[in-house]
Amino acid sequence: MNTKKPFSKDIIYLENVAEVTDKIVEKLRIDVNQKLRRFGGVVGISGGIDSSVCLGLAAKAFGPDKVTAIMMPEKDSSPESEMLARKLAAAFGVKSLHLDNITGALDGFRCYERRDEAVKRVFPEYDPRTYKMKIVVKQRGLFNNLPPMFSLTIIAPDGSQKDKPLHTNEYLQIVASSNFKQRSRMTTLYYYAEALHYAVIGTPNKHEQEQGFFVKYGDGGADVMPIGNLYKTQVYQLAKYLGVPQEIIDRTPTTDTYSAEQTQEEFFYQLPFELMDRFWYGYENGYSPEEVAKVMGETPERVAALYNNFERKRRTTDYLRMEPIRDYYRG
Amino acid sequence: MNIAEIKQNVQAYISENTFASKDKITESTLVFKEGFLDSMGLVMLITFLEEKFGIETTDADMVEENFESINAISEFVSKKLA
């Protein structure tokens, strides 16, 4: 008998948040204590919703005294993140809170210098001391078979903006140098994890995992990922249930990667998460484009194009999720 | 450069950069829809076309009809060169 529920806008919501939270917490405790044989968890917190929920889950799983929260700002980070991180740690009773500014490490890697060199090739007038920059996707929409193009935006001290499409070398150099940020954070988290004999609790959610919106061996480097199967809507449900401070819940998700403010929708997803969640749910649970289109006020053709887009995104980001390939010659 | 030469160059580029044999990607294969090229592939393709053929692409050019297949890309380049 087919028991699949008809598709609806509410289908995305967890019916029993307390029960789901308990299950995740229980599994987290078993995984970390019994499988990984570690005493507790280290969580990198950014002032964003995903890391906040992970801290709350870890505090419930191991007890607040077996959880260490690490803030790792750098010179492009939002200044309010530190204040939010302190409130968050206090909300969950986590006393072990460390502030490790990674700007010096990034200078050592020549992260900013390499990035700015590429930006200047596109905009010679760019001065990193006074200008801000970000990469944005050209919004052709996800209902299109052609992937988005990336463009570089610079913001002058007087607030005026310039935008140019990015070519291969500059795009790759900006991304590769920016990825030092996530990888430096991962290295810092493992320092604390090893010093305390804890596990690193990774913070990517379902979309980040499956659409490849993470840095391999950066924020994708962790021992466990307790919200890796949750849609963003569901992460927000858990946030409310766990008692994440309202200021964090109300913040627009940002990438916190480039010097100019940038939303995740603007950089990667191209759809507000409320819509993305529902379309992705339909796609991954085998709902037909016709059924989803009817509920979401779209045409079946556009939803089918969106599904193709999801499929392509998943396939083309397989590399990020792959373990090192080891099945070579065995003597 | 005539359309046949453009097509030959585009085909060679796509074949080399997707690691797919020439018989897998025909002139009418939908290279993006069928997943041979992704968003990085589009950035690289545009860079290749601009450098190889000396054309400039604008935001308005960035539509599926211009890039969906080797045929479409070659037509697009040919029009730009005209």
Side-chain angles (χ1 to χ4, degrees):
Chain A
M1 196 177 79
N2 185 6
T3 53
K4 198 159 95 172
K5 287 187 206 167
F7 187 81
S8 74
K9 284 187 179 173
D10 288 342
I11 204 161
I12 199 77
Y13 290 112
L14 300 170
E15 282 173 16
N16 191 333
V17 184
E19 192 181 282
V20 172
T21 305
D22 286 347
K23 279 185 181 165
I24 293 174
V25 163
E26 181 60 16
K27 179 166 165 51
L28 189 55
R29 191 183 301 123
I30 292 169
D31 286 345
V32 170
N33 292 153
Q34 292 176 24
K35 284 193 187 159
L36 303 175
R37 296 180 180 279
R38 294 294 182 271
F39 299 142
V42 170
V43 186
I45 54 172
S46 62
I49 194 79
D50 295 328
S51 60
S52 300
V53 167
C54 287
L55 188 74
L57 291 169
K60 257 178 124 55
F62 318 119
D65 58 328
K66 289 275 191 293
V67 175
T68 287
I70 322 285
M71 290 179 278
M72 294 162 286
E74 46 91 25
K75 68 178 180 188
D76 293 333
S77 298
S78 158
E80 66 172 344
S81 299
E82 187 181 332
M83 176 271 291
L84 291 173
R86 290 192 189 283
K87 274 197 178 175
L88 176 72
F92 294 131
V94 173
K95 293 192 182 76
S96 176
L97 175 66
H98 298 268
L99 174 68
D100 267 37
N101 192 307
I102 59 167
T103 304
L106 294 173
D107 273 331
F109 281 125
R110 294 170 50 217
C111 160
Y112 306 111
E113 184 191 331
R114 287 169 156 142
R115 179 197 66 189
D116 295 339
E117 185 188 86
V119 175
K120 276 185 183 176
R121 291 207 298 270
V122 184
F123 292 109
E125 70 270 35
Y126 171 74
D127 178 348
R129 291 167 302 179
T130 51
Y131 278 63
K132 291 185 184 294
M133 58 74 62
K134 62 182 171 180
I135 292 182
V136 294
V137 290
K138 281 283 170 194
Q139 300 270 355
R140 265 195 307 283
L142 280 170
F143 301 96
N144 192 312
N145 284 313
L146 197 64
M149 275 295 282
F150 300 99
S151 69
L152 178 66
T153 299
I154 57 165
I155 304 169
D158 65 4
S160 61
Q161 288 196 21
K162 278 190 181 175
D163 184 89
K164 269 191 194 172
L166 269 171
H167 281 189
T168 309
N169 292 344
E170 287 71 31
Y171 172 76
L172 291 176
Q173 188 171 332
I174 292 170
V175 171
S177 39
S178 301
N179 286 352
F180 275 124
K181 297 183 180 184
Q182 285 83 353
R183 293 202 178 97
S184 300
R185 291 191 175 111
M186 183 274 289
T187 305
T188 305
L189 290 175
Y190 271 95
Y191 163 75
Y192 282 99
E194 287 173 354
L196 295 160
H197 204 65
Y198 282 4
V200 172
I201 314 298
T203 61
N205 61 47
K206 185 182 192 74
H207 289 303
E208 289 171 331
Q209 267 298 307
E210 296 190 10
Q211 298 193 39
F213 186 37
F214 65 89
V215 175
K216 191 168 186 173
Y217 305 125
D219 48 337
D223 296 311
V224 285
M225 294 186 181
I227 60 167
N229 273 329
L230 294 183
Y231 292 91
K232 197 84 175 176
T233 303
Q234 298 169 343
V235 174
Y236 277 98
Q237 283 185 276
L238 258 68
K240 281 182 192 152
Y241 174 73
L242 290 164
V244 169
Q246 196 60 38
E247 294 113 295
I248 293 177
I249 293 175
D250 291 341
R251 275 180 111 194
T252 305
T254 66
T255 60
D256 211 15
T257 297
Y258 299 114
S259 52
E261 278 280 312
Q262 181 192 47
T263 67
Q264 291 183 357
E265 182 184 334
E266 184 181 30
F267 178 63
F268 189 81
Y269 292 118
Q270 303 177 72
L271 271 182
F273 77 82
E274 296 88 345
L275 294 178
M276 175 63 78
D277 277 356
R278 288 162 173 88
F279 285 120
W280 192 277
Y281 186 97
Y283 156 72
E284 85 169 354
N285 289 288
Y287 287 91
S288 71
E290 289 74 20
E291 187 174 355
V292 172
K294 209 169 151 186
V295 173
M296 299 299 288
E298 275 294 347
T299 64
E301 293 73 26
R302 275 165 60 89
V303 175
L306 190 61
Y307 279 14
N308 277 339
N309 226 307
F310 289 161
E311 186 58 40
R312 189 179 58 224
K313 217 165 193 176
R314 189 135 79 169
R315 200 171 49 235
T316 57
T317 58
D318 271 348
Y319 153 79
L320 295 172
R321 290 176 294 270
M322 280 167 110
E323 294 284 318
I325 301 169
R326 294 183 301 173
D327 56 341
Y328 289 86
Y329 175 76
R330 195 171 168 182
Chain B
M1 200 180 282
N2 64 37
I3 185 93
E5 288 170 311
I6 296 171
K7 213 174 267 186
Q8 202 176 13
N9 276 293
V10 171
Q11 184 145 35
Y13 170 82
I14 290 181
S15 177
E16 192 182 329
N17 285 277
T18 56
F19 304 100
S21 58
K22 281 189 181 170
D23 55 317
K24 278 227 168 132
I25 305 179
T26 68
E27 292 177 0
S28 54
T29 300
L30 299 172
V31 288
F32 288 100
K33 193 174 180 184
E34 293 181 26
F36 288 101
L37 293 175
D38 57 9
S39 52
M40 197 58 238
L42 181 60
V43 174
M44 289 177 164
L45 176 67
I46 298 296
T47 305
F48 163 75
L49 297 177
E50 294 195 351
E51 285 174 359
K52 180 79 189 173
F53 302 107
I55 60 168
E56 205 169 300
T57 51
T58 63
D59 273 355
D61 295 326
M62 300 308 299
V63 291
E64 200 176 337
E65 297 72 47
N66 287 338
F67 297 97
E68 63 183 6
S69 64
I70 291 171
N71 278 338
I73 298 164
S74 306
E75 286 288 336
F76 166 72
V77 172
S78 175
K79 269 188 230 157
K80 280 272 177 186
L81 290 173

